[in-house]
Amino acid sequence: MPLAALPSPTHGLLLTGGGARAAYQVGVLEALADLRRDAGLGGGPNPFPIITGTSAGAINAAALACGAADFDHAVRHIADVWQQFTPEQVYRTDPLALLDVAGRTRMLWGLARLLTRWRRRQPRSLLDNAPLAELLARLVPLEELPALMAAGHLRALAVTASSYSSGAHVTFYQSARPMQPWVRSQRQAVPAAITHAHLLASSAIPFVFPATAIARGDHMEYFGDGSMRQSAPVAAAIHLGAGRILVVGSGRMREPADGAGPNTFGGEPSLAQIAGHALSSIFLDSLAVDVERAERINQTLALIPEEARRRTQLRPVRLLVISPSERVDVIASRHVGALPGVVRRAFGHRNGNGSSAAQSAALASYLLFDSGFTRELMALGRADTLARRREVLDFFGWGGAAAAP
């Protein structure tokens, strides 16, 4: 069969993790909707038959999938939520109040009372994400997925989570037709009807939000953020059949080689700096590595003669990666003051400006569910996507742009 007769590859979408940083993804989606309308293709089903997400990206992915019959409307709906976010819509600070630095430093007897209360209450995390559960119940109608799949608007939705019980990285997927699960080292796929529990589990930032129980056969397992132990973020979309994948990151893919930057500090790191560094290693590093791996595989496949490649199951996968062109922690440093006071104090800074805010900005960027921060990230996502208009049009084949093989 000549190459020109090959079926068009299926488009997939990967939305990665990063807590409040996921607002950037919404700006990217808004720009895609604008570009598609400009090409005369607006008002129809979503352009991604396969949608996958991790952590906060899983929530955006599920919301987009639930609106698969009208992509533009779904994007507007998601954008409205992110534009009006407040921390109180996502978490309560009751558990963290027990560790409030201001209360901890008053007197020795106060410390004794603190420890007594801590032992009695045994909080499972620093923050309580019960408000997020309530928000998901109102805004993400997962019960509509089977009908959307039956109508052909969506082929598959997948979200990932990490099992504290077994140590495995698990991709839960719901598909229009039965698909064979896959198993790799320390990661596996499980067919399931996606629920709000899966979304809460996938977005449960370690230590920050509590683990979520999910039934696995005849037993329960406890799951946390899907970015933990995620060695191959792009893999789920490939296994589900995507041949072209739009990957939306939550941090710059490449930093200066010398490690210097506007948020670089000398001296002993603060607790907030250490926590921010740890979260960045969970949320950001694996994506860059996996994208590089996919690019190397594509380069290797290009060296194999086309006739020989057809006799194998190997196939090139085209990736379009859109990630912030600016440092998200620098943007966050301008909004640290919007964090709840107990959150700011617990991580060692008492005001929302100056070097204290800058040093805690990486950690804050994951918890800043505040409209000032999220709107700035959404604007950056739109600008970054529109700046690559020609690449996007070529990737989707919109507006007469020739789609490269």
Side-chain angles (χ1 to χ4, degrees), residues 282-316:
I282 292 172
F283 287 112
L284 307 182
D285 294 351
S286 61
L287 177 61
V289 172
D290 199 31
V291 167
E292 290 179 356
R293 178 165 51 224
E295 291 172 346
R296 287 198 302 271
I297 292 174
N298 283 341
Q299 292 169 0
T300 301
L301 288 175
L303 301 176
I304 301 175
E306 181 62 33
E307 187 62 34
R309 194 193 313 167
R310 290 192 187 127
R311 294 194 294 267
T312 74
Q313 294 183 337
L314 300 175
R315 56 189 174 88

Side-chain angles (χ1 to χ4, degrees), residues 58 142 159-161 172 192-203 212-215 223:
L142 292 168
V159 301
T160 60
F172 298 97
I194 303 299
T195 68
H196 295 130
H198 292 99
L199 304 184
L200 287 173
S202 183
S203 60
T212 300
I214 296 177
F223 288 84

Side-chain angles (χ1 to χ4, degrees), residues 316-341:
V317 175
R318 183 175 176 183
L319 301 180
L320 174 61
V321 181
I322 300 178
S323 61
S325 59
E326 301 178 20
R327 289 178 61 116
V328 176
D329 49 356
V330 173
I331 297 173
S333 68
R334 300 194 284 267
H335 300 275
V336 168
L339 284 171

Side-chain angles (χ1 to χ4, degrees), residues 71 75 80 115 120 149 351:
F71 179 72
V75 170
D80 286 344
L115 294 175
R120 183 172 65 249
M149 291 181 177
N351 53 49

